[in-house]
Amino acid sequence: MEALSWLWEAKIQHSELTRAALTFSLIIIAISWCIWVRKKQVHKLPPGPPGLPIVGNIPFIDPELHKYFAKLTTKYGPIFKLKLGSKLLIVLGSPELAAVVMKELDSTFANRAPTVAGMTVGYNGSDMVFVDYGPHLRNVRALCVREILSKSALDSFSALRQQEVRRCVRSLYAKVHTPVNIRDEMFLIMLNVITNMMWGGTFNDEEKIEIGLEFRKRAEKVLDYLGRTNISDFLPVLARFDLQGVERRLKELISWLDPFFESMIDKRMKLDQEIKLNGDQDGKENKVKDFLQVFQQLQDQGESKVPFTFTNLKALFMNLVVGGTDTAGGAVEWAMAELIKEPKIMKRALEELDNVVGKNNIVEESHIPNLPYLGAIIKETYRLHPGVPLLVSRCPSSTCNVGGYVIPKGAQVLMNAWAIQRDPKYWDNPLEFKPERFLQTTSKFDFIGTDFRYIPFGSGRRRCIGVPLVERIVPYALASFLHSFEWRMPEGVEVDLSEKFGIVLKTSTPLTAIPLPRLPDPNLYAKKEY
């Protein structure tokens, strides 16, 4: 009996031990499963459309990327992925997620995703737009801001902006009653302003027009190739073959632009050397310091904090001259197109100009702060037609979490500013051109990206460096065009507001309109100075 009793107790103990072991195992399994699920949730990639082996989603991409991405946002949400060959593309389509990338995790997302076109145009990472973030970029940006884009520097170039805008007004007055291409006129203004700021006045009027038009042809082609989907970026194994010819054609374009920059540098250096040797007997010296003079001073002084080479200088010229001429000029073209399309808005803008400037006067930069409706028109233009609709891509330096999804290190991240600024969730009647919305709101919508519903120039440490110049030249040029002339479309021609996608968003058809004199005194059109 005692033996049976012991055996029974032993079985009970074993059963309890078994139950305890089993319970403990189940607890461990449950904890492990929870950890695995949580880890999977934290590390899961955003959703996205299915693709094909090897090439991924490349065959299904619509060339109108901003609209294509907007459709995918509607289907997959404000963050989605595309597999493009061996590369992962993440697209963000909400201000909340844009704020995470450009504010909360700004330092992590400060790098660029290198492309063949970007590296070619940027002289293999010697520029400001396509280079990764680091000490060199910080120093160059600081140098540009201090020497050519600070308030005092821009104030010193006010006479230059006046000269170029007045030259354009005189040119338009000589063409009244005939169609003129607004984009061409603005391109020449921007080219002359930026080149003078960069290396001083070295062209006469005939040279400006001749060289400007030739420069524009090549600049537009550069921007076109920068905005193309290039198979070499997504399947690096094919990059050596340059199947689409992007690298080859860009190098051909740069083979003209590069000597152009070098000739300007050489011409300016010879001029400065002549002034040093003989004195400024003929008034050749530029009283306002341009960027090339700053560069020369740095070279002469052996400035160590800013290691800046001739290659860096040419790359900077490429960024500012090629990028700046088209984006600012495009904004004036879009604004003019919208105003001609909307006579009531045009009428209100003209009433404001007449009240502030007067019909017996010409527009001055000092008038601009007193033209709030004009400012609202420009903001509305950039809302509907942001110059760079997808901004410039960012690339995280480490794997991180955005919106509950993982974005791996090295992924290419785009923010669809075009879609964010047209989202009915954040904007009433978003497709309507309505400048009043910027007068009625208490929110501060500015060009530096403080409100992520409105990011035409990006935000954070990689936002567009040229915003201060845009804030000066765009309203001044637009106000001068509107105040000086009435604008009509050629008979039988309608305003075309359709878009041509690229790294810079343009009108599909360049705006060609007819200027008619609006000011009572013809002498005002000949006026060169205040």
Side-chain angles (χ1 to χ4, degrees):
M1 278 300 281
E2 290 180 1
L4 290 174
S5 176
W6 176 85
L7 182 61
W8 176 253
E9 290 177 0
K11 285 183 178 181
I12 292 174
Q13 291 175 1
H14 178 71
S15 179
E16 291 176 347
L17 183 62
T18 300
R19 286 198 298 270
L22 183 60
T23 301
F24 180 74
S25 298
L26 289 173
I27 291 172
I28 294 298
I29 291 172
I31 292 173
S32 300
W33 182 82
C34 290
I35 292 174
W36 179 80
V37 169
R38 185 177 178 184
K39 186 175 181 181
K40 185 178 180 181
Q41 289 176 340
V42 171
H43 289 82
K44 69 178 179 180
L45 292 171
L52 299 176
I54 301 178
V55 296
N57 302 105
I58 292 176
F60 311 111
I61 290 180
D62 188 321
E64 296 288 302
L65 285 181
H66 59 316
K67 296 179 181 178
Y68 174 60
F69 290 162
K71 291 178 182 177
L72 292 180
T73 295
T74 301
K75 183 174 182 178
Y76 294 101
I79 177 171
F80 63 87
K81 74 175 187 301
L82 292 172
K83 196 73 167 59
L84 305 178
S86 62
K87 304 296 182 179
L88 181 66
L89 174 67
I90 308 291
V91 181
L92 306 180
S94 76
E96 293 83 5
L97 296 181
V100 172
V101 167
M102 294 191 287
K103 185 177 180 181
E104 295 175 25
L105 300 177
D106 188 29
S107 60
T108 302
F109 284 90
N111 288 338
R112 296 298 194 202
T115 65
V116 171
M119 294 301 288
T120 304
V121 171
Y123 293 78
N124 292 318
S126 301
D127 68 327
M128 284 197 306
V129 175
F130 302 105
V131 67
D132 279 346
Y133 196 79
H136 173 75
L137 179 60
R138 287 195 297 271
N139 287 331
V140 174
R141 283 179 68 99
L143 180 65
C144 287
V145 169
R146 184 176 73 246
E147 300 296 342
I148 60 174
L149 293 171
S150 66
K151 183 181 182 303
S152 59
L154 288 171
D155 285 346
S156 70
F157 285 108
S158 62
L160 167 62
R161 294 189 294 275
Q162 168 206 328
Q163 169 188 312
E164 292 304 327
V165 170
R166 294 305 306 163
R167 177 202 58 76
C168 185
V169 168
R170 292 195 303 275
S171 174
L172 290 172
Y173 187 66
K175 303 172 186 175
V176 293
H177 302 290
T178 59
V180 297
N181 186 307
I182 301 297
R183 189 185 300 176
D184 284 347
E185 298 296 335
M186 272 306 301
F187 185 89
L188 284 175
I189 289 178
M190 291 306 301
L191 178 64
N192 294 338
V193 167
I194 293 176
T195 53
N196 271 273
M197 290 173 65
M198 295 304 293
W199 56 68
T202 54
F203 302 128
N204 59 40
D205 286 343
E206 291 183 3
E207 287 176 328
K208 284 178 181 178
I209 294 174
E210 181 182 353
I211 294 175
L213 293 176
E214 191 66 28
F215 188 96
R216 186 186 168 187
K217 292 178 184 176
R218 287 166 169 81
E220 283 193 330
K221 289 181 180 178
V222 168
L223 291 171
D224 177 43
Y225 285 115
L226 280 171
R228 291 191 182 185
T229 302
N230 186 5
I231 194 72
S232 296
D233 294 325
F234 309 120
L235 294 171
V237 69
L238 299 177
R240 59 185 296 184
F241 302 108
D242 191 23
L243 296 177
Q244 294 165 256
V246 171
E247 184 176 12
R248 173 176 57 81
R249 292 190 178 101
L250 277 174
K251 286 182 176 179
E252 290 172 357
L253 292 168
I254 291 174
S255 69
W256 185 88
L257 292 170
D258 197 67
F260 171 77
F261 292 143
E262 290 178 350
S263 68
M264 294 303 101
I265 294 171
D266 184 61
K267 184 184 291 189
R268 182 50 190 266
M269 287 186 165
K270 287 180 179 178
L271 177 63
D272 287 349
Q273 189 65 30
E274 180 183 337
I275 291 172
K276 286 180 181 179
L277 292 174
N278 304 322
D280 188 22
Q281 299 174 356
D282 300 322
K284 296 178 180 178
E285 184 178 5
N286 186 5
K287 302 303 180 182
V288 179
K289 188 190 297 182
D290 56 63
F291 192 83
L292 189 53
Q293 288 176 308
V294 174
F295 172 75
Q296 289 177 277
Q297 288 179 3
L298 294 176
Q299 297 298 306
D300 294 341
Q301 298 167 4
E303 177 64 63
S304 59
K305 290 184 179 180
V306 186
F308 204 64
T309 67
F310 276 102
T311 300
N312 295 132
L313 185 64
K314 289 188 293 184
L316 177 62
F317 287 174
M318 184 74 75
N319 288 166
L320 295 179
V321 178
V322 173
T325 50
D326 231 44
T327 50
V332 173
E333 181 184 31
W334 279 114
M336 291 283 292
E338 292 283 5
L339 290 172
I340 294 172
K341 188 85 171 177
E342 299 288 344
K344 290 183 179 179
I345 300 176
M346 174 75 88
K347 181 181 178 182
R348 181 171 173 180
L350 293 177
E351 288 174 352
E352 181 182 67
L353 282 163
D354 290 344
N355 289 334
V356 174
V357 180
K359 279 196 171 184
N360 293 309
N361 197 4
I362 60 174
V363 178
E364 303 177 10
E365 278 195 358
S366 58
H367 291 129
I368 302 303
N370 299 317
L371 298 169
Y373 192 65
L374 181 83
I377 287 171
I378 292 169
K379 286 184 177 181
E380 180 71 340
T381 298
Y382 275 115
R383 183 190 70 82
L384 273 177
H385 313 289
V388 183
L390 301 178
L391 305 183
V392 182
S393 66
R394 296 200 179 204
C395 182
S397 55
S398 62
T399 299
C400 54
N401 186 279
V402 174
Y405 297 101
V406 66
I407 297 186
K409 175 183 177 180
Q412 184 176 357
V413 179
L414 290 173
M415 276 150 286
N416 195 344
W418 181 89
I420 291 172
Q421 295 178 176
R422 290 170 173 242
D423 193 331
K425 182 178 178 181
Y426 308 102
W427 302 92
D428 293 330
N429 301 314
L431 302 185
E432 181 184 345
F433 187 79
K434 186 180 175 183
E436 290 80 5
R437 73 176 80 243
F438 289 100
L439 300 177
Q440 296 165 352
T441 180
T442 56
S443 299
K444 184 182 179 183
F445 291 105
D446 53 34
F447 291 146
I448 61 175
T450 55
D451 189 318
F452 289 88
R453 293 172 293 175
Y454 186 74
I455 47 172
F457 295 94
S459 183
R461 63 194 68 199
R462 294 311 295 259
R463 73 178 174 88
C464 176
I465 195 174
V467 169
L469 177 59
V470 168
E471 291 178 313
R472 301 285 186 110
I473 192 68
V474 169
Y476 180 37
L478 179 61
S480 297
F481 286 3
L482 297 179
H483 180 256
S484 300
F485 304 98
E486 293 180 13
W487 294 91
R488 297 178 184 173
M489 296 299 292
E491 189 169 347
V493 178
E494 296 289 332
V495 176
D496 183 5
L497 292 176
S498 60
E499 301 165 336
K500 180 182 178 182
F501 177 79
I503 192 170
V504 174
L505 192 67
K506 299 179 181 180
T507 55
S508 294
T509 304
L511 177 63
T512 302
I514 299 172
L516 304 174
R518 186 171 179 273
L519 304 180
D521 183 0
N523 293 320
L524 291 172
Y525 292 98
K527 195 171 182 180
K528 297 182 180 182
E529 298 180 1
Y530 301 140

